[in-house]
Amino acid sequence: MRLRALLDTDALGLRLLGGEDELDRTVRGVMTTDLRDPTRYLAGGELVLTGLAWRHDASDTEPFVRILASAGVAALAAGEAELGDIPDDIVEACARHRLPLFAVNESVAFATITEHVVRQVSGERAGDLAAVVDRHRRLMTSGPAGGGPDVVLDLLGTDLDLRAWVLSPAGRVIAGSGAAGTALPGPLCARLAGEHLAAVRTGRRGPHRVTVDSVTYSLFPIRTSGRGSAGAARDVRESVLSDWMLAVEADAGDWPEERLDLLQGVTQLIAVERDRRDAARTVRRRLAQEVLELVQSGAAPAEIAARLRVAAPVLLPGLGAAPHWQVVVARVEWEGGEVDGGPVAQSLLEEILVDPTAAGPEPSDRIAVAHTGDEAIALVPLPAVSSEHDGSETGLIADALLASVHDPLSAGLDGDGRVTLGVSASVHSAEGLRGALEEARHARRVAAARPGRVCAAGHQELASHVLLLPFVPDDVRRAFTARLLDPLREYDKRHRAELIPTLEAFLDCDGSWTRCAARLHLHVNTLRYRVGRIEQLTGRDLSRLEDKLDFFLALRMS
């Protein structure tokens, strides 16, 4: 399609800011990005959509526009939602590089423009390709009743004889073409997911080709297309553990450009569906956040129970209430500490808490995950425990959660990241949630002390003091914490030395000098000085397990 045709479609809300002489350029695709350098994702001829999150000041504009022009993109469309009117420096830079520039009205979603362009571009393909894409569009936009990704993949099978699956980063089948959705073995799914994540981490452009048992699969990234989504991440580590992938049983290496464009269009349509389903998680995430804030703030059990009664119908539709709950805590940490691990851990926890043998996205509808800082916390409802279990283990088992996803996640972590996870025992009342949260957090610390990139620990491995902390009498709690922490608080008040935050970070990093220094953005020598001051003021030795445990307990009870 031509750029000129975009202006003739009022529903797209596009306003031309420059490049009137270039409107006969051909648009071959569409891409949403807020990367400062999106070169690796550009093939030429794209309409680039951006929310301008890459622009901190006017000096950022010239390099960004120059990169787009050098890559041969058709035009740039900038959203007005963040900054209002498009800044003059962007208009001037686009004029210098002869890059057509559009403004996107804040009332128009990027997904709307993406879908329109994909439909129009694909519609100009010949014969069966045009028919397939148009049928995809109509079925995808019809919502859940239209069948979603499964029906789109069915069409690939019936119209182009291509078997295809949508896989999660952990290797779970989200959707598949016909019977193929259940025919792809679990180990093969894990292998494909691992190969895909490893390729993404190395910066290779898709599709990635993998041969397993003489069968070649082509793996296409599916990057979400909404504003501020993982598709616009500035660092690949922000999205590598959450983006879906499209696996096609074929060798795309000898495909013509038209067929490659078609599959890229299919991934964009599936990305729109992914955005829609992610939005549905917002209510569950908010409910989890509200419950956990009450638990952490020490709210009365009656208040927590009332909030749980509100959450239960959403998490357990038709059942009314959950007789038991478990808490799962996860953390994703990257070396250097420059990537925020909280949202990554949240998306990952939402994925791994789904039974890996359960196809489709629907099982995640009963999982509520919140995140605070680098930590993600899941509130998992459990069915009633039958009396015939006679007290045997029920609910989630820590090791089992990671068994099937260990290999693909390790490939995505690529030597510079870690996933650690802790699981509490099940509790049957609001009074037990605070203890369950502390239990899950301590279990995660146990997992963090183990070697390996992907580790988990359960409540069975914990000492009983974690369960007892919430019930220590207030006078004992105050006396114990005052003896250890008051000297540090007073010193911090006088000198602003931040000894308490340093102590918390040091213990949270399991006594690792390099990890703690990186988290606090300190030189290791500065960290050693602070820890030495803590030991001097308290008479304790942070190299001794007993003293570490005392400080840990004091901080948890303060």
Side-chain angles (χ1 to χ4, degrees):
M1 66 178 299
R2 306 285 182 182
L3 285 175
R4 190 179 306 280
L6 296 174
L7 289 175
D8 296 332
T9 306
D10 294 337
L12 299 183
L14 296 177
R15 181 163 49 89
L16 184 65
L17 300 181
E20 186 173 0
D21 295 337
E22 307 291 333
L23 291 181
D24 286 328
R25 290 187 182 187
T26 299
V27 180
R28 293 174 53 83
V30 62
M31 175 194 176
T32 300
T33 187
D34 275 312
L35 289 167
R36 291 190 177 188
D37 182 1
T39 303
R40 70 174 70 175
Y41 305 118
L42 296 173
E46 296 92 345
L47 171 67
V48 173
L49 306 173
T50 180
L52 301 179
W54 51 266
R55 182 187 179 277
H56 300 295
D57 55 49
S59 65
D60 296 328
T61 299
E62 174 64 21
F64 180 79
V65 174
R66 183 172 61 250
I67 287 169
L68 298 188
S70 299
V73 306
L76 174 65
E80 296 179 322
E82 291 293 328
L83 302 179
D85 291 339
I86 307 304
D88 291 340
D89 54 276
I90 296 179
V91 178
E92 294 164 2
C94 288
R96 283 194 299 273
H97 291 278
R98 300 180 64 82
L99 181 66
L101 174 64
F102 298 95
V104 182
N105 189 281
E106 63 180 356
S107 64
V108 178
F110 282 5
T112 300
I113 299 174
T114 297
E115 190 171 295
H116 176 83
V117 172
V118 169
R119 182 175 72 245
Q120 295 300 320
V121 170
S122 300
E124 294 178 2
R125 307 292 184 203
D128 63 339
L129 300 182
V132 170
V133 172
D134 185 61
R135 290 169 68 185
H136 288 175
R137 179 207 47 91
R138 287 186 282 108
L139 286 164
M140 289 293 288
T141 55
S142 65
D150 291 288
V151 178
V152 175
L153 300 185
D154 281 344
L155 289 175
L156 283 180
T158 57
D159 289 40
L160 297 181
D161 196 27
L162 291 175
R163 282 163 42 97
W165 302 263
V166 177
L167 302 180
S168 78
R172 185 172 65 89
V173 176
I174 303 295
S177 51
T182 56
L184 204 61
L188 177 56
C189 290
R191 168 77 181 277
L192 295 178
E195 295 281 356
H196 173 72
L197 293 178
V200 171
R201 288 303 310 273
T202 61
R204 287 159 43 201
R205 296 183 61 178
H208 313 119
R209 288 176 290 162
V210 179
T211 300
V212 181
D213 296 332
S214 301
V215 179
T216 299
Y217 299 87
S218 297
L219 313 177
F220 294 80
I222 297 175
R223 298 183 178 90
T224 52
S225 56
R227 304 183 191 191
S229 68
R234 287 185 286 271
D235 190 308
V236 68
R237 291 174 295 180
E238 296 179 18
S239 60
V240 66
L241 298 182
S242 59
D243 281 349
W244 290 352
M245 56 169 283
L246 176 66
V248 181
E249 190 181 296
D251 187 346
D254 55 1
W255 281 4
E257 287 295 323
E258 289 79 5
R259 180 159 290 197
L260 284 173
D261 287 348
L262 171 69
L263 267 293
Q264 294 291 355
V266 170
T267 65
Q268 291 174 334
L269 287 171
I270 296 175
V272 173
E273 179 69 9
R274 169 71 186 271
D275 288 339
R276 182 182 297 132
R277 288 176 172 174
D278 278 351
R281 289 179 171 174
T282 302
V283 173
R284 295 192 297 280
R285 287 175 170 177
R286 186 172 66 248
L287 288 172
Q289 193 74 43
E290 291 174 354
V291 171
L292 291 168
E293 286 175 357
L294 290 174
V295 171
Q296 294 182 100
S297 65
E303 186 177 359
I304 299 173
R307 187 67 65 184
L308 283 175
R309 284 193 294 273
V310 173
V314 177
L315 300 177
L316 295 170
L319 299 183
H324 295 82
W325 301 87
Q326 269 182 292
V327 176
V328 182
V329 172
R331 179 168 288 191
V332 175
E333 296 174 292
W334 304 98
E335 291 180 7
E338 68 272 12
V339 177
D340 184 5
V344 181
Q346 183 179 43
S347 295
L348 186 60
L349 199 51
E350 288 172 334
E351 169 58 33
I352 65 177
L353 287 176
V354 178
D355 182 348
T357 63
E362 289 74 17
S364 65
D365 288 348
R366 295 185 179 182
I367 297 168
V369 185
H371 79 84
T372 55
D374 289 334
E375 184 181 70
I377 305 169
L379 189 65
V380 183
L382 301 175
V385 179
S386 172
S387 58
E388 64 188 42
H389 282 94
D390 296 327
S392 60
E393 184 61 35
T394 59
L396 303 173
I397 310 297
D399 290 339
L401 283 175
L402 294 183
S404 63
V405 302
H406 181 277
D407 291 345
L409 292 185
S410 296
L413 295 166
D414 191 35
D416 67 344
R418 289 198 79 199
V419 172
T420 51
L421 181 146
V423 181
S424 78
S426 62
V427 295
H428 66 277
S429 66
E431 290 90 340
L433 281 178
R434 184 179 173 191
L437 177 57
E438 288 297 322
E439 188 177 52
R441 281 175 166 160
H442 192 58
R444 192 209 63 79
R445 291 175 182 274
V446 171
R450 296 171 174 167
R453 292 288 169 185
V454 182
C455 299
H459 61 93
Q460 306 93 332
E461 304 171 61
L462 301 184
S464 60
H465 68 265
V466 177
L467 296 175
L468 300 176
L469 281 181
F471 308 104
V472 174
D474 287 344
D475 55 342
V476 176
R477 184 189 300 265
R478 285 192 295 268
F480 183 77
T481 58
R483 187 176 303 115
L484 281 174
L485 302 183
D486 278 2
L488 306 182
R489 291 182 178 129
E490 292 170 5
Y491 190 88
D492 281 349
K493 191 178 297 184
R494 292 196 307 270
H495 302 283
R496 298 182 179 178
E498 298 187 356
L499 296 185
I500 292 289
T502 300
L503 176 62
E504 290 175 330
F506 186 72
L507 295 176
D508 200 41
C509 291
D510 306 307
S512 168
W513 296 99
T514 55
R515 285 170 52 204
C516 184
R519 176 175 297 186
L520 296 175
H521 304 291
L522 297 175
H523 191 279
V524 172
N525 289 341
T526 303
L527 175 62
R528 291 186 185 276
Y529 172 81
R530 288 189 183 180
V531 171
R533 179 65 67 184
I534 291 170
E535 294 174 335
Q536 181 184 28
L537 291 170
T538 61
R540 300 301 185 103
D541 181 356
L542 276 167
S543 67
R544 297 178 66 246
L545 176 61
E546 294 87 346
D547 288 340
K548 285 181 182 176
L549 179 58
D550 283 346
F551 277 121
F552 170 79
L553 292 172
L555 288 168
R556 289 299 174 271
M557 291 192 295
S558 64

Coordinates of all heavy atoms in Angstrom, one line a residue, residues 295-298 434-435 438 465-486 489 550-558:
V295 N -1.9 -7.4 53.6 CA -1.2 -8.4 54.4 C 0.1 -7.8 54.9 O 0.5 -8.0 56.1 CB -0.9 -9.7 53.5 CG1 0.1 -10.6 54.2 CG2 -2.2 -10.4 53.2
Q296 N 0.9 -7.1 54.0 CA 2.2 -6.6 54.4 C 2.1 -5.4 55.4 O 3.0 -5.2 56.1 CB 2.9 -6.1 53.1 CG 3.3 -7.3 52.2 CD 4.1 -6.9 51.0 OE1 5.3 -7.0 51.0 NE2 3.4 -6.4 50.0
S297 N 0.9 -4.7 55.4 CA 0.8 -3.6 56.3 C 0.3 -4.0 57.6 O 0.1 -3.2 58.5 CB -0.2 -2.6 55.7 OG -1.5 -3.1 55.5
G298 N 0.0 -5.3 57.8 CA -0.5 -5.8 59.1 C -1.9 -5.5 59.4 O -2.4 -5.3 60.5
R434 N -0.2 -13.8 56.2 CA 1.1 -13.1 56.5 C 2.2 -14.1 56.7 O 3.3 -13.9 56.2 CB 0.9 -12.2 57.7 CG 2.1 -11.4 58.0 CD 1.9 -10.5 59.3 NE 3.1 -9.8 59.6 CZ 3.3 -9.1 60.8 NH1 2.3 -9.1 61.6 NH2 4.4 -8.6 61.1
G435 N 2.0 -15.1 57.5 CA 3.0 -16.2 57.7 C 3.3 -16.9 56.4 O 4.5 -17.2 56.1
E438 N 5.7 -14.6 54.4 CA 7.1 -14.7 54.9 C 7.7 -16.0 54.6 O 8.9 -16.1 54.3 CB 7.1 -14.4 56.4 CG 6.7 -13.0 56.8 CD 7.8 -12.0 56.4 OE1 9.0 -12.4 56.4 OE2 7.5 -10.9 55.9
H465 N 11.1 -21.1 62.5 CA 11.0 -19.7 63.0 C 10.3 -18.7 62.0 O 9.7 -17.7 62.4 CB 12.4 -19.1 63.3 CG 13.3 -19.0 62.1 ND1 14.2 -19.9 61.6 CD2 13.4 -17.9 61.2 CE1 14.8 -19.5 60.5 NE2 14.3 -18.3 60.2
V466 N 10.4 -19.1 60.7 CA 9.7 -18.2 59.7 C 8.2 -18.2 60.0 O 7.5 -17.1 59.9 CB 10.0 -18.7 58.3 CG1 9.2 -17.8 57.3 CG2 11.5 -18.6 58.0
L467 N 7.6 -19.3 60.3 CA 6.2 -19.4 60.6 C 5.8 -18.6 61.9 O 4.7 -18.1 62.0 CB 5.8 -20.8 60.7 CG 5.9 -21.7 59.5 CD1 5.6 -23.2 59.9 CD2 5.0 -21.2 58.4
L468 N 6.8 -18.6 62.8 CA 6.5 -18.0 64.1 C 6.6 -16.5 64.1 O 6.1 -15.8 65.0 CB 7.3 -18.6 65.2 CG 7.2 -20.1 65.3 CD1 8.2 -20.6 66.4 CD2 5.8 -20.5 65.8
L469 N 7.4 -15.9 63.2 CA 7.7 -14.5 63.3 C 6.5 -13.6 63.4 O 6.5 -12.7 64.3 CB 8.5 -14.0 62.0 CG 10.0 -14.4 62.0 CD1 10.6 -13.8 60.7 CD2 10.7 -13.8 63.2
P470 N 5.4 -13.8 62.7 CA 4.3 -12.9 62.8 C 3.6 -12.9 64.2 O 2.8 -12.0 64.5 CB 3.3 -13.4 61.7 CG 4.1 -14.1 60.7 CD 5.2 -14.7 61.6
F471 N 3.9 -14.0 65.0 CA 3.2 -14.1 66.2 C 4.1 -13.9 67.5 O 3.7 -14.1 68.6 CB 2.6 -15.6 66.3 CG 1.8 -15.9 65.1 CD1 2.3 -16.8 64.1 CD2 0.5 -15.4 64.9 CE1 1.6 -17.1 63.0 CE2 -0.2 -15.7 63.8 CZ 0.3 -16.6 62.9
V472 N 5.3 -13.3 67.2 CA 6.1 -12.9 68.3 C 5.5 -11.8 69.1 O 5.1 -10.8 68.5 CB 7.5 -12.5 67.8 CG1 8.4 -12.0 69.0 CG2 8.2 -13.7 67.1
P473 N 5.4 -11.8 70.4 CA 4.8 -10.7 71.2 C 5.5 -9.4 70.9 O 6.7 -9.3 70.7 CB 5.0 -11.1 72.6 CG 5.1 -12.6 72.6 CD 5.8 -12.9 71.3
D474 N 4.7 -8.3 70.9 CA 5.2 -7.0 70.5 C 6.4 -6.6 71.4 O 7.3 -6.0 71.0 CB 4.1 -6.0 70.6 CG 3.1 -6.1 69.4 OD1 3.5 -6.8 68.4 OD2 2.0 -5.6 69.5
D475 N 6.3 -6.8 72.8 CA 7.4 -6.4 73.6 C 8.7 -7.1 73.4 O 9.7 -6.5 73.4 CB 6.9 -6.5 75.1 CG 6.5 -7.9 75.5 OD1 6.2 -8.7 74.5 OD2 6.5 -8.3 76.7
V476 N 8.6 -8.4 73.1 CA 9.8 -9.2 72.7 C 10.3 -8.7 71.4 O 11.5 -8.5 71.2 CB 9.4 -10.7 72.6 CG1 10.6 -11.5 72.2 CG2 8.9 -11.2 74.0
R477 N 9.4 -8.4 70.4 CA 9.8 -7.9 69.1 C 10.6 -6.6 69.2 O 11.7 -6.4 68.7 CB 8.6 -7.7 68.2 CG 8.9 -7.3 66.8 CD 7.5 -7.0 66.1 NE 6.6 -8.1 66.1 CZ 6.5 -8.9 65.1 NH1 7.2 -8.8 64.0 NH2 5.7 -9.9 65.1
R478 N 10.0 -5.7 70.0 CA 10.7 -4.4 70.2 C 12.0 -4.5 70.9 O 13.0 -3.8 70.5 CB 9.7 -3.4 71.0 CG 8.6 -2.9 70.2 CD 7.9 -1.8 70.9 NE 7.3 -2.2 72.2 CZ 6.0 -2.7 72.3 NH1 5.2 -2.7 71.2 NH2 5.5 -3.1 73.4
A479 N 12.1 -5.3 71.9 CA 13.4 -5.4 72.6 C 14.5 -6.0 71.7 O 15.6 -5.6 71.7 CB 13.2 -6.3 73.9
F480 N 14.1 -7.0 71.0 CA 15.1 -7.7 70.1 C 15.6 -6.8 69.0 O 16.8 -6.7 68.7 CB 14.4 -9.0 69.5 CG 15.4 -9.8 68.7 CD1 16.3 -10.6 69.3 CD2 15.3 -9.8 67.3 CE1 17.2 -11.4 68.5 CE2 16.1 -10.5 66.5 CZ 17.1 -11.3 67.1
T481 N 14.6 -6.1 68.3 CA 15.0 -5.2 67.2 C 15.8 -4.0 67.7 O 16.7 -3.6 67.1 CB 13.8 -4.8 66.4 OG1 12.9 -4.1 67.3 CG2 13.1 -6.0 65.8
A482 N 15.4 -3.5 68.9 CA 16.1 -2.3 69.4 C 17.6 -2.6 69.7 O 18.5 -1.8 69.4 CB 15.4 -1.8 70.7
R483 N 17.8 -3.8 70.3 CA 19.2 -4.1 70.6 C 20.1 -4.2 69.4 O 21.3 -3.7 69.5 CB 19.2 -5.5 71.4 CG 20.5 -5.8 71.9 CD 20.5 -7.1 72.7 NE 19.5 -7.1 73.8 CZ 18.4 -7.8 73.8 NH1 18.1 -8.7 72.9 NH2 17.5 -7.7 74.8
L484 N 19.6 -4.6 68.3 CA 20.4 -4.8 67.1 C 20.3 -3.6 66.2 O 21.3 -3.2 65.5 CB 20.0 -6.0 66.3 CG 20.5 -7.4 66.8 CD1 19.8 -8.5 66.0 CD2 22.0 -7.4 66.7
L485 N 19.2 -3.0 66.0 CA 19.0 -2.0 65.0 C 19.1 -0.5 65.5 O 19.4 0.4 64.7 CB 17.7 -2.2 64.3 CG 17.5 -3.6 63.6 CD1 16.2 -3.6 62.9 CD2 18.6 -3.9 62.6
D486 N 18.7 -0.2 66.7 CA 18.7 1.1 67.2 C 20.1 1.8 67.0 O 20.1 3.0 66.6 CB 18.3 1.2 68.7 CG 16.8 1.2 68.8 OD1 16.1 1.1 67.7 OD2 16.2 1.3 69.9
R489 N 20.2 2.9 63.4 CA 19.2 3.9 63.1 C 19.7 5.3 63.6 O 19.6 6.3 62.9 CB 17.9 3.6 63.7 CG 17.1 2.4 63.1 CD 15.8 2.2 63.8 NE 15.1 1.1 63.1 CZ 14.5 0.1 63.8 NH1 14.6 0.1 65.1 NH2 13.9 -0.8 63.2
D550 N 20.4 -13.3 63.1 CA 19.8 -12.4 64.1 C 19.4 -11.1 63.4 O 18.3 -10.5 63.7 CB 20.9 -12.1 65.2 CG 20.9 -13.2 66.2 OD1 20.0 -14.0 66.2 OD2 21.9 -13.2 67.0
F551 N 20.3 -10.6 62.5 CA 19.9 -9.3 61.8 C 18.7 -9.6 60.9 O 17.9 -8.7 60.8 CB 21.1 -8.9 60.9 CG 22.2 -8.1 61.7 CD1 23.5 -8.5 61.8 CD2 21.8 -6.9 62.3 CE1 24.4 -7.7 62.5 CE2 22.7 -6.1 63.0 CZ 24.1 -6.6 63.1
F552 N 18.7 -10.7 60.2 CA 17.6 -11.1 59.4 C 16.3 -11.0 60.2 O 15.3 -10.4 59.8 CB 17.8 -12.5 58.8 CG 16.6 -13.0 58.0 CD1 16.3 -12.6 56.8 CD2 15.8 -14.0 58.6 CE1 15.2 -13.1 56.1 CE2 14.7 -14.5 58.0 CZ 14.4 -14.0 56.7
L553 N 16.3 -11.7 61.3 CA 15.1 -11.7 62.2 C 14.7 -10.3 62.6 O 13.5 -9.9 62.7 CB 15.3 -12.6 63.4 CG 15.4 -14.1 63.0 CD1 15.8 -14.9 64.3 CD2 14.1 -14.7 62.5
A554 N 15.7 -9.5 63.0 CA 15.4 -8.2 63.5 C 14.8 -7.3 62.5 O 13.8 -6.6 62.7 CB 16.7 -7.5 64.0
L555 N 15.3 -7.4 61.2 CA 14.7 -6.6 60.1 C 13.3 -7.1 59.8 O 12.4 -6.3 59.5 CB 15.6 -6.7 58.9 CG 17.0 -6.0 59.0 CD1 17.9 -6.4 57.8 CD2 16.8 -4.5 59.0
R556 N 13.1 -8.4 59.9 CA 11.7 -8.9 59.6 C 10.7 -8.5 60.6 O 9.5 -8.4 60.3 CB 11.7 -10.4 59.4 CG 12.5 -10.9 58.2 CD 11.8 -10.3 56.9 NE 12.5 -10.7 55.7 CZ 13.5 -9.9 55.2 NH1 13.8 -8.8 55.8 NH2 14.1 -10.2 54.1
M557 N 11.2 -8.4 61.9 CA 10.2 -8.0 62.9 C 10.1 -6.6 63.2 O 9.3 -6.1 64.0 CB 10.7 -8.7 64.2 CG 10.5 -10.3 64.2 SD 10.7 -11.0 65.8 CE 12.4 -10.7 66.2
S558 N 10.9 -5.8 62.6 CA 10.9 -4.3 62.8 C 9.8 -3.6 62.1 O 9.3 -4.1 61.1 CB 12.2 -3.7 62.4 OG 12.4 -3.8 61.0

